[in-house]
Amino acid sequence: MAETPPPSPQRPDRRPADPRFSSGPCVKRPGWNPQALDVLSAETAGRSHRSPAGREQLAQVIKKSRALLELPESHLLAIIPASDTGAMEAALWSLLGSRGIDVLAWETFGMDWLTDIRDQLKLTDLRALTAEYGSLPDLEEVDFSRDVVFPWNGTASGVCVPGGEWIAEDRQGLTICDATSAAFAMDLPWDRLDVATYSWQKVMGGEAQHGILILGPRAVQRLESHIPPWPLPKIFQLTVDGRLNQALFAGDIINTPSMLAVADALDGLDWALSLGGLSTLMERCRDNFDLIAQWVVNSDWAGFVAEDPATRSITSVCLKITAPWFLDLDPSQQAAVTERMTALLEEEKAGYDLGAYRKSPPGLRIWAGATVEKENISALLPWLDWAYATVKSETPHPE
Ligand SMILES: Cc1ncc(COP(=O)(O)O)c(C=O)c1O
């Protein structure tokens, strides 16, 4: 008797109203459309950023970002070229070199900063505290008499630090934190962060064009007392004649910004402030994550990449396939399975950009930041089961 093929998995009947789940650029705030910028850019589009309206808008972005982040007076905030990368590079190139450095890297972005410090700045008093995808390095190993460079949230593995208790209050070195997918989503202890950076394109759903650099008093002191031995490109220069360039923290900018991106950043900030501010943003991320976590508990095929629940990112939620038939496949077959799943989800308009970061192990990644509506997450989850079952039924395997 001919074998009957396995039944096709039931296609869910409801799609997410918005299928955008990319981890950057992230989905715009609910209700956003290009007209949202009409009013905000009416006076600034096509005008100089040094015009009164341009200056005012840049100053508003600084003021509202500070308010939303609940940044203390002790810390300064500037808009920097080239997104989070620009802000991090400006910090690394301007501040490092006067003492040893501990770099924490557990996925691609921490690895990028490590490579930069080692191969570009060629600093040798360097300790790399690394871990595999899914884990964190041992935070007890960190030596705070040295400068410490780390991402708060490793976007590519969905592993974040479990709060800031591990950071010494009485440190001698600086803490330099890439907070790009943590800012506005996780509680950042400003008294323990001397430098923090982020980009607009993540939790706030802004444009990628610009980054934010936050400096605490100890970082300012370092800037004014330490002259790096290497040449500093103009876009990394934070001082003038050895003193902090104060104007950058009031709305001046190193080079010409996109005033459309600035208007869009303001739109996002206004939205977030009107919702109730930081606690509401954090709650939205937590609610999104909780939905996914609940689904994972009941799943017979999906698990978190992050092993320790205390380190699970509530923004870049990274999932792996735990089913034995999948684990028996070789890495290229595994990658083919997850690629096919994400292609099916795209095709069905059920979920876009759900593939794991290109340098990470095969899996899925769901952005669950504040601009994502929880109804869209709950509508997505049955589609993940459908895509998995469909690809499993198509893939030859012994089970
Ligand atoms: C942790 C982390 N650092 C740095 C970056 C680079 O950010 P950008 O491309 O905005 O410069 C990203 C982007 O995803 C990130 O997630």
Side-chain angles (χ1 to χ4, degrees):
M1 210 168 68
E3 237 180 75
T4 43
S8 333
Q10 184 79 33
R11 184 187 257 94
D13 48 21
R14 192 168 66 97
R15 289 180 170 72
D18 192 332
R20 283 173 280 203
F21 297 101
S22 150
S23 293
C26 300
V27 66
K28 298 282 190 195
R29 64 152 173 96
W32 184 95
N33 65 42
Q35 278 90 50
L37 304 185
D38 275 0
V39 174
L40 283 167
S41 67
E43 307 237 329
T44 53
R47 294 284 317 271
S48 165
H49 57 295
R50 297 185 207 285
S51 66
R55 274 188 192 283
E56 173 57 19
Q57 204 159 66
L58 289 159
Q60 284 294 321
V61 169
I62 291 180
K63 189 172 149 218
K64 290 181 175 175
S65 304
R66 296 187 61 99
L68 196 57
L69 289 166
E70 300 177 2
L71 200 62
E73 285 298 313
S74 56
H75 285 56
L76 300 168
L77 181 149
I79 302 168
I80 296 288
S83 212
D84 178 67
T85 307
M88 264 310 270
E89 298 279 10
L92 301 178
W93 287 63
S94 297
L95 291 164
L96 294 183
S98 67
R99 57 175 69 222
I101 307 151
D102 281 5
V103 183
L104 280 67
W106 57 92
E107 48 71 88
T108 191
F109 294 104
M111 288 295 174
D112 283 350
W113 308 138
L114 172 61
T115 309
D116 214 41
I117 296 166
R118 190 187 52 215
D119 300 346
Q120 301 298 326
L121 298 181
K122 303 202 185 304
L123 290 168
T124 50
D125 186 0
L126 179 65
R127 295 197 315 161
L129 306 179
T130 60
E132 292 302 317
Y133 276 74
S135 306
L136 267 185
D138 182 356
L139 299 177
E140 286 188 7
E141 290 268 300
V142 180
D143 176 356
F144 288 98
S145 68
R146 299 157 68 79
D147 291 334
V148 179
V149 176
F150 66 101
W152 192 275
N153 181 75
T155 317
S157 68
V159 172
C160 60
V161 294
E165 287 301 307
W166 58 283
I167 303 173
E169 278 177 303
D170 61 346
R171 60 197 174 275
Q172 292 90 52
L174 299 178
T175 46
I176 302 178
C177 173
D178 170 0
T180 200
S181 46
F184 305 108
M186 300 175 196
D187 205 9
L188 299 174
W190 295 113
D191 58 335
R192 296 180 196 223
L193 299 179
D194 299 306
V195 178
T197 65
Y198 63 87
S199 55
W200 292 346
Q201 49 123 345
K202 296 282 183 194
V203 180
M204 297 297 289
E207 293 300 296
Q209 183 72 8
H210 300 291
I212 293 288
L213 173 68
I214 293 171
L215 297 180
R218 302 178 64 253
V220 173
Q221 197 199 12
R222 170 77 63 82
L223 271 177
E224 295 188 336
S225 59
H226 163 72
I227 301 177
W230 42 76
L232 266 190
K234 175 177 166 176
I235 59 166
F236 297 166
Q237 288 170 17
L238 304 172
T239 55
V240 178
D241 298 331
R243 310 291 299 172
L244 181 73
N245 183 357
Q246 293 279 357
L248 293 179
F249 300 88
D252 252 23
I253 208 142
I254 296 176
N255 66 339
T256 313
S258 154
M259 293 310 290
L260 267 186
V262 170
D264 186 63
L266 203 51
D267 170 74
L269 291 163
D270 286 342
W271 166 75
L273 289 165
S274 76
L275 282 188
L278 186 59
S279 57
T280 310
L281 296 182
M282 297 199 314
E283 229 173 81
R284 286 174 65 87
C285 302
R286 170 62 61 188
D287 287 351
N288 286 343
F289 172 80
D290 285 347
L291 278 176
I292 303 171
Q294 195 51 49
W295 172 83
V296 168
V297 166
N298 296 318
S299 173
D300 61 357
W301 64 269
F304 287 105
V305 174
E307 304 289 349
D308 176 357
T311 67
R312 282 179 191 153
S313 169
I314 59 167
T315 56
S316 59
V317 183
C318 295
L319 301 174
K320 60 185 179 187
I321 299 178
T322 54
W325 71 270
F326 177 84
L327 299 176
D328 283 345
L329 301 177
D330 68 40
S332 68
Q333 292 170 313
Q334 291 185 349
V337 166
T338 54
E339 276 164 28
R340 172 93 180 112
M341 282 177 69
T342 53
L344 276 177
L345 291 162
E346 294 245 3
E347 238 172 77
E348 291 286 343
K349 300 189 173 15
Y352 297 155
D353 306 319
L354 287 160
Y357 188 73
R358 60 195 153 89
K359 295 185 194 164
S360 6
L364 300 177
R365 181 172 59 169
I366 308 171
W367 182 254
T371 54
V372 177
E373 298 274 46
K374 66 173 189 266
E375 295 70 28
N376 290 329
I377 300 266
S378 54
L380 169 71
L381 298 170
W383 284 95
L384 300 186
D385 287 324
W386 170 81
Y388 168 78
T390 305
V391 179
K392 184 181 175 193
S393 70
E394 291 171 1
T395 309
H397 58 88
E399 201 183 283

